[in-house]
Amino acid sequence: MPLPRVILTRRWPAACEAALAQKFELVRNERDMPMSREALVEALRSCDALGATVTDSLDAQMLSDPDRRAGMIGNFGVGFNHIDISVAEQLGIRVSNTPGVLTEATADIAMMLILMVARRAGEGERMLRGDRWAGWSPTSLLGTQVSGARLGIIGMGRIGAALAHRAVHGFGMRVSYHNRSRSPELEAELGAEFVSLETLLGAADFVSLNCPSNAETRHLINAQRLSLMRPEAFLVNTARGDVVDEAALAAALAAGRIAGAGLDVYEEEPLVYPLLKQLENVVLLPHQGSGTQATREAMGFMAAENIAAYFEGRPLPNSVC
Ligand code: 8YV
């Protein structure tokens, strides 16, 4: 019997590719560039399972293709907003994701963005590398104190909770949160306060987005909600770009309506709203949240295990549908 054919849309860590290659006929994307829509359609027609990532938009039309052969999508990542899950479910296409293994790495990046934007780290580094540093001065590059400040977390899932732990235990921050459901454990353990979205936006020194991207959270942070934030407050986004109306955010930052932003994700990656790149009070990272060697390997092995389970007729350990 021929081995099932698995196509990876991007290069995965070598150890994960090697594990897959032992069990399947593995096709790698040697150039490691995002695949075009046409190439993805072709891939779905010529494999039994697709190893996908956030750079692959798999919409209803592509999944409904009568010539599609793939019956499983093993997503390398926890977020799956790039895949039309309701259509996949209707068509019986199995989809898995990689929850849990990237929680700590992503919470680290969220905390780092809070620190970077508050302490003007990007600005300072640009000044130094640009040979514009004239030496220490009592009043240059003064930032905002993170220790003891109020952090508002929107979306208290695994990553939100890991960020709350860092903020409370590491930095003595006070945490407010808004989520679909309350977490009595976190409230007891960290003194986290459950509040409405409006209360959170109005009270927080730092607002961190840690919710999934879906129809309800698209442009959750728009011009009106940004206007509820305090002029001294900062916005940090490590969730998904479309949770924020980027044009409205850029306008609010440019007008000084909020103090700054730290972003790891964007509405139209890899494009970044041009005005954001011109603003000194914005820290911009290229979607690095889960980017440690250990975490990316753990994600790859988890996705590979789900693909193996599919072909072996076992329940998917991390089934989305
Ligand atoms: C991944 C992420 O690296 O897992 C996620 O949802 O946002 C990132 O950490 C990326 O999605 C890979 O597909």
Side-chain angles (χ1 to χ4, degrees), residues 23 25 35 49 168 214 221 227 237 255 258 273 279 289 303 311 320:
K23 293 188 174 172
E25 180 198 340
M35 285 166 71
V168 171
N214 54 39
I221 301 300
S227 73
N237 188 8
I258 66 171
Y273 195 81
L279 300 172
F311 288 113
V320 174

Side-chain angles (χ1 to χ4, degrees), residues 4-140:
R5 192 159 196 261
V6 175
I7 295 185
L8 301 185
T9 64
R10 303 298 299 271
R11 295 307 303 264
W12 289 17
C16 309
E17 289 188 352
L20 282 165
Q22 284 187 348
K23 293 188 174 172
F24 306 111
E25 180 198 340
L26 187 70
V27 182
R28 303 168 170 90
N29 172 359
E30 297 296 344
R31 285 172 57 240
D32 195 27
M33 293 296 288
M35 285 166 71
S36 65
R37 186 186 167 83
E38 294 70 36
L40 284 170
V41 168
E42 188 43 46
L44 288 167
R45 286 179 180 173
S46 60
C47 72
D48 300 298
L50 189 73
T53 75
V54 71
T55 56
D56 310 310
S57 201
L58 298 167
D59 63 27
Q61 200 188 353
M62 295 159 85
L63 299 178
S64 312
D65 177 3
D67 294 327
R68 174 182 47 78
R69 170 172 148 194
M72 197 270 173
I73 299 169
N75 187 51
F76 184 110
V78 66
F80 45 77
N81 59 308
H82 53 290
I83 305 171
D84 193 323
I85 297 297
S86 66
V87 168
E89 194 160 24
Q90 277 167 31
L91 295 170
I93 304 172
R94 303 301 311 276
V95 179
S96 64
N97 70 340
T98 63
V101 288
L102 45 75
T103 300
E104 305 301 328
T106 308
D108 287 348
I109 286 273
M111 196 66 229
M112 187 175 89
L113 282 172
I114 290 171
L115 290 164
M116 282 183 77
V117 72
R119 300 301 301 273
R120 303 173 65 179
E123 257 181 283
E125 216 210 4
R126 283 189 291 278
M127 175 195 276
L128 186 147
R129 285 179 185 268
D131 291 329
R132 285 177 279 109
W133 186 36
W136 187 87
S137 119
T139 55
S140 73

